[in-house]
Amino acid sequence: MTEIIQKRISESKGARWATLIIVSFTMMWGYFLTDALSPLMTMLEDQMHWSSSEFGLFNSAYSWFNVYLFMLVLGGIVLDKMGIRFTGIVTCLLMLAGSLAKYYAIEFISPDAGTVFGIRSQVLVACIGHAVFAVGVENCCTTVSKVIAKWFQGKEMATALGIQVALARIGTAAALVVSPIVAKRISVSAPILLSSLLLTIGFLAYLVFCVLDRKFDAEVADTISTDDTFKVKDLKQIVTNRGFWLIAFMCLMFYSAVFPFLKFATSLMENKYGVESGLAGLIPSLIPFGNLIMTPLFGGIYDRKGKGATIMIIGSVLLILVHVLFALPVLNYWWFASAVMILLGVAFSLVPSAMWPSVPKIIPLKLLGSAYALIFYVQNIGLGLVPLFIGKVLDNYCKVGTRIVDGAQVTQYDYTLPMCIFALFGVAALLLALRLKAVDRKEGYGLEKPNI
């Protein structure tokens, strides 16, 4: 690291890749906490008496502040105005505060402690903690995306963003695998405490990045013109851009068919494919592990060959196929579910590897924080409403009996209807991707051209 710093950091290949690893490490633990409770739906039902609707409400809280209080949009403006160092530090502290609130709710508030606004106290406090954490992790993700765009501009940007996404997915995979083990051996709240410790390490890593980034800015200070500084009036360049809105709404539809699905994927493995509760999280974890290789691979193809819009179309088609296969009442075996999850991993690698690097092609760097934030804002509408909707669908239309898990009786669900709903989101994503390719041909964004 000393040798890297002695050279001009702004021109050092080693420095930019070291920066990528540092900020990706921070994001990885943020994503670990995002899904720390996802594979514990059955355990929460058994030990804390959570219903599917309450589980859906908890996951929908992810968007409470980001969407309804516009914290993501405001966060993007703060990012462009105050910079990546200040914003990154604040978002890390928000993640830590939210994680501790969730831990307190699960560990110290009794499931029978009463209700507030018709919601059980334990669930409500956990929701508020999840909402605070979400403000941190989503704005941190926006910040990290701008970090990579800044350090990799004109270089291997799609590959770098692909690696960042891949490492974030490893955080998700670790949560799906580790959380059930830790919860069974210690307590259902223990995975959240573990997440808080890992987030603290990630925060310290980000402080190291801040030192490198300060040196970067000092080196390029003479090359920055007044036209490169952020002005609120410049936001008009974002909101009037057709390509931007097509990417934003495609992001909404695509991620609505993936992230909310992952919240219920462990339960799907248990209910449809008969996988034991302690092992059911292993199959969804195949998605992020596949991302580790495929997302940087597809990003490299985009960097060198182009075809960004085409890559998004192919990924959307695969997404539809996956959810249709999960909906069909055939081949209810763990090996079939594993094969379909791997296919979902391919789709989940294709679209992000092309979608995120496409934004800097149509939005200037000085507005990139606001642009990414607005996309994440639109995405969070789906991340908030879809889990709540799926939880209600399961409770009202999909109960088919009961089953025994670890000596306790829990509800048995039929997931056919929810999987059909997820498939429809995939169809919407495909239509938007096709339209984006047509607009790119007309406007000349260069989405089908290489990045390098």
Side-chain angles (χ1 to χ4, degrees):
M1 182 66 73
T2 302
E3 294 178 358
I4 293 172
I5 296 176
Q6 287 174 348
K7 297 190 295 184
R8 281 181 63 86
I9 281 184
S10 58
E11 300 173 356
S12 169
K13 182 176 182 179
R16 67 175 178 266
W17 287 105
T19 292
L20 171 67
I21 296 304
I22 291 172
V23 297
S24 298
F25 180 80
T26 303
M27 275 309 311
M28 180 169 65
W29 299 128
Y31 273 82
F32 183 97
L33 180 54
T34 299
D35 283 299
L37 291 181
S38 294
L40 306 182
M41 178 178 170
T42 300
M43 191 174 294
L44 287 167
E45 180 183 350
D46 177 25
Q47 298 183 18
M48 303 295 172
H49 314 301
W50 285 31
S51 66
S52 294
S53 295
E54 287 176 325
F55 186 73
L57 178 67
F58 168 77
N59 285 297
S60 76
Y62 191 88
S63 298
W64 285 2
F65 298 157
N66 281 331
V67 173
Y68 304 118
L69 297 183
F70 300 97
M71 296 305 295
L72 255 173
V73 175
L74 293 174
I77 294 173
V78 169
L79 171 58
D80 285 332
K81 190 70 175 177
M82 302 299 295
I84 53 182
R85 295 190 295 273
F86 172 84
T87 309
I89 290 172
V90 172
T91 58
C92 286
L93 293 175
L94 286 172
M95 285 193 287
L96 282 169
S99 68
L100 292 175
K102 286 194 284 186
Y103 175 73
Y104 176 82
I106 302 298
E107 178 66 21
F108 296 106
I109 299 179
S110 169
D112 303 317
T115 62
V116 180
F117 305 121
I119 304 172
R120 288 192 297 138
S121 299
Q122 183 190 59
V123 177
L124 180 60
V125 175
C127 286
I128 293 172
H130 198 45
V132 171
F133 163 77
V135 174
V137 73
E138 288 293 310
N139 281 291
C140 187
C141 192
T142 303
T143 304
V144 168
S145 297
K146 186 167 182 177
V147 168
I148 295 171
K150 172 184 176 181
W151 281 71
F152 285 83
Q153 191 171 27
K155 301 180 179 70
E156 314 91 336
M157 187 185 299
T159 303
L161 283 167
I163 291 173
Q164 185 271 315
V165 169
L167 291 176
R169 302 295 177 257
I170 291 301
T172 299
L176 295 174
V177 174
V178 173
S179 286
I181 297 173
V182 173
K184 283 200 168 189
R185 293 186 177 181
I186 304 177
S187 70
V188 72
S189 64
I192 305 177
L193 182 59
L194 174 62
S195 303
S196 301
L197 296 175
L198 295 172
L199 271 175
T200 302
I201 298 172
F203 174 52
L204 296 176
Y206 197 86
L207 294 178
V208 173
F209 157 73
C210 289
V211 176
L212 299 177
D213 190 68
R214 187 180 298 276
K215 187 171 179 63
F216 181 103
D217 283 351
E219 290 179 357
V220 303
D222 294 339
T223 66
I224 300 176
S225 70
T226 55
D227 291 337
D228 294 327
T229 57
F230 171 79
K231 302 180 184 67
V232 174
K233 67 179 182 180
D234 292 333
L235 294 175
K236 182 180 178 181
Q237 297 179 40
I238 300 176
V239 299
T240 58
N241 189 303
R242 283 195 300 168
F244 169 81
W245 286 112
L246 286 169
I247 290 177
F249 285 113
M250 183 191 170
C251 177
L252 168 65
M253 294 302 166
F254 182 83
Y255 280 106
S256 290
V258 177
F259 282 131
F261 165 73
L262 285 175
K263 306 299 183 186
F264 295 92
T266 300
S267 177
L268 170 68
M269 296 303 109
E270 296 174 16
N271 283 272
K272 182 174 182 179
Y273 297 99
V275 183
E276 293 182 11
S277 59
L279 302 174
L282 291 174
I283 296 178
S285 74
L286 294 173
I287 299 173
F289 281 122
N291 290 156
L292 181 63
I293 299 173
M294 290 182 289
T295 307
L297 173 63
F298 295 137
I301 293 172
Y302 188 16
D303 278 332
R304 291 167 177 79
K305 303 294 183 181
K307 305 298 180 184
T310 301
I311 290 172
M312 287 184 261
I313 291 171
I314 296 171
S316 298
V317 171
L318 290 179
L319 179 67
I320 298 168
L321 177 61
V322 164
H323 289 313
V324 169
L325 289 174
F326 276 133
L328 293 175
V330 296
L331 296 174
N332 295 338
Y333 305 107
W334 69 267
W335 58 264
F336 178 74
S338 299
V340 178
M341 281 292 183
I342 292 172
L343 188 61
L344 178 56
V346 176
F348 201 22
S349 298
L350 280 163
V351 173
S353 69
M355 181 168 58
W356 299 122
S358 293
V359 180
K361 287 191 172 185
I362 63 176
I363 300 295
L365 181 62
K366 67 178 180 179
L367 298 173
L368 207 52
S370 299
Y372 276 128
L374 189 52
I375 292 174
F376 282 119
Y377 174 84
V378 173
Q379 173 189 318
N380 267 253
I381 295 173
L383 298 186
L385 296 179
V386 174
L388 183 62
F389 176 58
I390 296 298
K392 292 290 186 181
V393 168
L394 285 170
D395 262 347
N396 295 327
Y397 304 104
C398 302
K399 292 180 179 179
V400 293
T402 59
R403 56 194 174 93
I404 303 299
V405 176
D406 295 332
Q409 184 172 283
V410 297
T411 305
Q412 178 77 21
Y413 297 102
D414 178 358
Y415 268 86
T416 302
L417 179 56
M419 299 317 302
C420 290
I421 294 171
F422 286 130
L424 290 176
F425 286 124
V427 171
L430 174 60
L431 295 175
L432 288 164
L434 290 168
R435 180 59 181 162
L436 177 63
K437 186 173 182 178
V439 171
D440 177 53
R441 282 196 300 267
K442 182 177 180 180
E443 301 290 343
Y445 299 130
L447 303 186
E448 294 289 279
K449 296 179 180 179
N451 294 320
I452 299 176

